[in-house]
Amino acid sequence: MLPLPSKHFLWFIIFNVLHGNVAGWLNGPQHSSFQQGLCSTTTTTTTTALSLSSAPTPGGVYGKAKPENLIKQTDYLKNPRPKKSALPAAESKEPQPFNTYSDEEKLARFQQLLQRSLVSFNTTAVRDLNEELSSIRRQQGGDQILAGILGLLLAKGPDNSSNLPLWTKIRPLARFSERAKWASLRRTLDLTTPPPTAEDSDEAESAEDRMRRRRRALVTILRSLENDENNNNKEDGQRRLPAIRWLEKKSRLEKRGAIQSETLTSRRPVGLETPKYQVLQKISNACEVRVYSDYAVCSVNMNKPRPVDASKTDATVSDPSKGGAKAFGALAGYLFGKNEQQQSMKMTTPVLFSNNNDDEAEGKMMSFVLPSDYWDNKVGSAPAPLEGSGVTLTAVKGDTRATIMFGGYASKKAEEQQTKQLLSLLEEDKKWKVVEGESCVVAQYNDPFTPPWKRLNEVSVAVEAR
């Protein structure tokens, strides 16, 4: 028969549970003071040289301490949350030039910064990581190098299933466990990875396409961690979530779609011009009837091929092979100075997607709103597009439109769902009906690296009184 454990050993286990060393067990044997204690225990009746803490104790032996005094002597283990501070002094020194690191050292540094970014109560680590990734991208051939680094960070971190046992799926454990924080990052990546766009969905998606979207999601999360609203708005002494848990909660809330219209309209980028309108009627929480003033757009047909030497007319885009990217490059090129007058104009919002009502066989049109200098029938004074660019300028007459707003990514599935909901609401409405022959227009307000919980999209259609 095996001997029963001594009372000192039982008190040792209770002590670990009471003082939060469960976190060490969750983080694995290499971080567990419990495991270290077991390794240094020589018998079941004595517990000497335990690596529990650096707390001063009589004789340095917990086995000789009275149980009722054991907790008193180590009350300091219940530390408050760390206050906002810079990295520890050893890591705050002037770093060596990044180009002197070996490839293994670079990856190790990125992994360390990413790990710190998930839990930090300040943004120093993630800011350093973003700055170093940006410096790599600015190098010659930097996009390809950066793609490789992001792929390795994903493969060795959140996408490495062997490091994420089943218990890491318990979301509250991310408060205590490093591996649970990696699992939280993985779940947030799943919620943040953009789906194929409406323009891409008809194409066969390769493994590289999926990895490209995954890398983009990681960059989006890193940028969001740098602007950690949750932790930065909390006063010292209050209990705060690890940064990655806060982002996961925001992602889940967005997926449920229970967002108020006031929250959605606040997501329009600040400082960018957008067509003016007045709200005539609220049909539902996120659906309203608006009357628009005149404005102007530059447009390009997304189905027509770009010229052979598109560099003369188009702005450079990160992935010209994807649907919509070439059309975006053509419009951005025109707006940023590749026009007859070589005149740069201010960026505006939103980007509009519509079917060509004159000839639906011509396919889908992408449009940028022109600056307000060219509204109100002044589109003729706008810089002329370069010959062969495929860009056309159009004055848009003000009209009445029913609009439904939604967050997240404007995937083909999301567009179809919102269009169906909008048309269903109008069928039931007693005051407004869809103008015959009009098709829906999709508007996207945010740049590609805006996270889903800060994005605004709209589907609208021209309406008239019944």
Side-chain angles (χ1 to χ4, degrees):
M1 180 181 294
L2 293 174
L4 293 174
S6 72
K7 66 177 182 179
H8 300 298
F9 185 75
L10 293 175
W11 274 114
F12 165 66
I13 294 177
I14 295 171
F15 167 79
N16 273 269
V17 173
L18 288 175
H19 290 280
N21 283 311
V22 173
W25 309 340
L26 299 180
N27 287 327
Q30 68 274 25
H31 299 295
S32 174
S33 58
F34 173 73
Q35 293 285 352
Q36 295 168 5
L38 286 182
C39 293
S40 57
T41 303
T42 56
T43 68
T44 59
T45 57
T46 60
T47 53
T48 60
L50 297 180
S51 303
L52 291 173
S53 71
S54 58
T57 61
V61 180
Y62 279 85
K64 296 180 181 180
K66 293 182 179 180
E68 61 270 21
N69 293 332
L70 188 60
I71 295 175
K72 293 181 182 180
Q73 293 169 355
T74 56
D75 272 345
Y76 80 103
L77 286 178
K78 296 182 178 180
N79 287 329
R81 290 278 174 172
K83 296 183 178 180
K84 296 179 183 178
S85 63
L87 294 175
E91 299 183 27
S92 299
K93 295 179 180 179
E94 188 69 26
Q96 67 184 89
F98 188 71
N99 56 10
T100 64
Y101 286 107
S102 67
D103 291 343
E104 293 78 8
E105 288 173 332
K106 289 178 183 178
L107 181 59
R109 174 167 171 76
F110 287 140
Q111 286 180 293
Q112 181 191 41
L113 289 173
L114 178 57
Q115 185 173 351
R116 288 179 62 87
S117 301
L118 303 183
V119 65
S120 292
F121 297 116
N122 60 66
T123 57
T124 303
V126 70
R127 188 181 300 114
D128 290 345
L129 178 56
N130 285 335
E131 287 176 357
E132 292 186 3
L133 292 175
S134 296
S135 68
I136 290 175
R137 187 176 185 181
R138 290 192 293 268
Q139 299 173 7
Q140 185 175 3
D143 285 337
Q144 186 175 357
I145 298 173
L146 182 60
I149 291 172
L150 293 173
L152 285 173
L153 285 175
L154 288 167
K156 292 180 177 293
D159 288 348
N160 186 354
S161 300
S162 63
N163 284 342
L164 303 176
L166 187 63
W167 57 260
T168 60
K169 293 184 178 181
I170 304 174
R171 293 196 294 270
L173 294 181
R175 285 180 176 268
F176 315 106
S177 166
E178 290 179 8
R179 285 190 287 178
K181 290 181 180 68
W182 284 112
S184 180
L185 174 58
R186 180 171 184 165
R187 292 190 295 268
T188 308
L189 277 166
D190 292 340
L191 294 167
T192 309
T193 300
T197 64
E199 293 73 42
D200 294 334
S201 55
D202 293 332
E203 304 174 11
E205 188 181 38
S206 65
E208 174 53 31
D209 291 332
R210 291 190 292 273
M211 178 53 67
R212 175 183 55 83
R213 294 188 288 109
R214 193 74 165 175
R215 292 193 300 263
R216 176 175 144 189
L218 179 58
V219 172
T220 299
I221 289 173
L222 290 176
R223 291 184 178 183
S224 299
L225 287 170
E226 189 172 344
N227 301 297
D228 186 358
E229 299 168 11
N230 179 62
N231 287 330
N232 290 342
N233 290 340
K234 292 287 186 181
E235 296 180 1
D236 289 339
Q238 292 185 349
R239 187 170 180 82
R240 296 169 292 186
L241 287 174
I244 189 59
R245 275 290 292 134
W246 175 77
L247 292 188
E248 184 184 357
K249 291 184 71 173
K250 296 285 286 186
S251 301
R252 290 186 175 279
L253 180 64
E254 186 67 37
K255 187 177 181 180
R256 289 201 293 268
I259 311 297
Q260 295 297 316
S261 59
E262 294 79 8
T263 302
L264 288 169
T265 54
S266 69
R267 297 178 179 182
R268 289 195 181 98
V270 177
L272 299 184
E273 287 187 317
T274 188
K276 297 177 181 178
Y277 67 85
Q278 291 183 334
V279 178
L280 297 182
Q281 178 186 336
K282 293 277 291 184
I283 296 179
S284 69
N285 171 48
C287 182
E288 56 193 24
V289 177
R290 305 170 178 172
V291 56
Y292 278 87
S293 303
D294 295 350
Y295 61 99
V297 297
C298 58
S299 306
V300 70
N301 192 309
M302 299 177 67
N303 295 80
K304 290 185 176 180
R306 300 302 303 150
V308 176
D309 191 8
S311 61
K312 294 181 179 178
T313 59
D314 298 4
T316 303
V317 292
S318 59
D319 190 359
S321 65
K322 302 312 298 175
K326 294 179 179 179
F328 188 95
L331 295 175
Y334 167 76
L335 208 63
F336 297 148
K338 291 187 176 182
N339 49 60
E340 291 291 351
Q341 284 74 24
Q342 297 183 0
Q343 177 182 335
S344 295
M345 291 167 273
K346 295 180 294 184
M347 192 63 189
T348 58
T349 192
V351 179
L352 303 170
F353 299 87
S354 61
N355 290 321
N356 192 326
N357 288 327
D358 297 330
D359 186 359
E360 216 168 290
E362 285 290 310
K364 205 168 189 178
M365 304 292 290
M366 179 188 290
S367 303
F368 283 7
V369 177
L370 289 175
S372 59
D373 297 340
Y374 310 115
W375 299 356
D376 302 321
N377 296 319
K378 298 176 185 176
V379 69
S381 62
L386 291 173
E387 185 178 356
S389 67
V391 176
T392 59
L393 307 182
T394 308
V396 180
K397 294 294 294 181
D399 61 353
T400 304
R401 306 189 69 82
T403 303
I404 190 167
M405 299 176 284
F406 62 102
Y409 293 111
S411 63
K412 182 177 182 179
K413 181 179 179 181
E415 290 180 14
E416 290 174 349
Q417 289 176 340
Q418 298 299 327
T419 299
K420 182 178 179 180
Q421 184 176 353
L422 174 63
L423 297 178
S424 177
L425 288 170
L426 289 173
E427 285 179 5
E428 299 173 0
D429 192 79
K430 298 179 180 180
K431 186 174 181 180
W432 303 99
K433 65 177 182 178
V434 178
V435 175
E436 187 176 353
E438 288 292 321
S439 58
C440 290
V441 175
V442 177
Q444 298 181 24
Y445 282 83
N446 309 98
D447 71 76
F449 291 99
T450 300
W453 57 88
K454 291 185 178 181
R455 299 187 72 85
L456 170 63
N457 314 287
E458 295 174 348
V459 174
S460 68
V461 66
V463 295
E464 59 187 1
R466 290 188 182 274

